[in-house]
Amino acid sequence: MAVDGCCLTVARLDGAILEFNAVAETLRRTTLGELSAGDRVNLEPALRVGDPMGGHWVQGHVDGVGEIARIVPEGDARNFTFAAPPEIMRYAIEKGSVCVAGVGLTITGLDDTSFSVSLVPHTLEVTTLGVLSPGARVNLEADVLAKYVEKLVFPGALLRSAATS
């Protein structure tokens, strides 16, 4: 189950109550340690074998934490700009994919330190993104296909960047 974009194993299920174990690595790399009882989160079950694949490829493997820099209304949609760390921005391209708090989205614009997405009314209604405001921290997952392309084209690039981080 993905919780705000973090892939976690359900340790216990009691009716509608799910319990998870979040290890130190997860708490270091995500916003999960910042949650309090009663906070809303986005939940996404794992894709089952045979289910149709639609939308963006999302693994639930958070690459970093970003922050909402600004929100601008655009008709009945909203344009969100997220300040993001270099480990996300290196894979960001216009019309490429990014996962924000477990929601697969299309990048509509970017610069060296941030990217923007446009959220339709449905996404604003059924996810926690619709209630967030500037300054909110969110889990980010870079496009997994871009990471694999980089690894194939530059085989040592990911190892070198991890060693220098």
Side-chain angles (χ1 to χ4, degrees):
M1 175 75 67
V3 178
D4 263 6
C6 304
C7 180
L8 298 174
T9 299
V10 177
R12 188 163 104 61
L13 175 63
D14 182 12
I17 306 289
L18 305 172
E19 289 185 15
F20 306 93
N21 295 316
V23 298
E25 169 73 359
T26 302
L27 297 176
R28 265 193 307 275
R29 288 186 174 255
T30 72
T31 62
L32 290 186
E34 301 168 17
L35 293 172
S36 299
D39 285 350
R40 292 180 56 202
V41 294
N42 295 316
L43 296 176
E44 182 76 26
L47 185 68
R48 294 174 191 233
V49 173
D51 283 353
M53 299 234 0
H56 302 270
W57 289 53
V58 174
Q59 295 182 298
H61 301 165
V62 173
D63 294 303
V65 173
E67 184 175 299
I68 299 174
R70 78 185 152 271
I71 303 171
V72 178
E74 292 183 327
D76 54 351
R78 288 189 221 150
N79 184 284
F80 280 62
T81 299
F82 296 91
E87 60 267 26
I88 303 298
M89 293 308 300
R90 73 188 290 163
Y91 302 111
I93 61 168
E94 192 168 341
K95 302 303 180 200
S97 298
V98 66
C99 184
V100 177
V103 182
L105 300 167
T106 300
I107 296 172
T108 58
L110 68 151
D111 60 28
D112 290 339
T113 61
S114 65
F115 65 88
S116 297
V117 297
S118 289
L119 301 183
V120 298
H122 179 76
T123 302
L124 293 167
E125 287 176 28
V126 300
T127 71
T128 61
L129 297 175
V131 298
L132 297 180
S133 56
R137 291 168 34 90
V138 291
N139 294 318
L140 300 174
E141 179 182 333
D143 184 354
V144 66
L145 298 177
K147 291 189 275 188
Y148 279 112
V149 168
E150 179 183 63
K151 180 71 172 172
L152 289 170
V153 174
F154 304 105
L158 292 176
L159 295 176
R160 284 191 298 279
S161 68
T164 59
S165 298

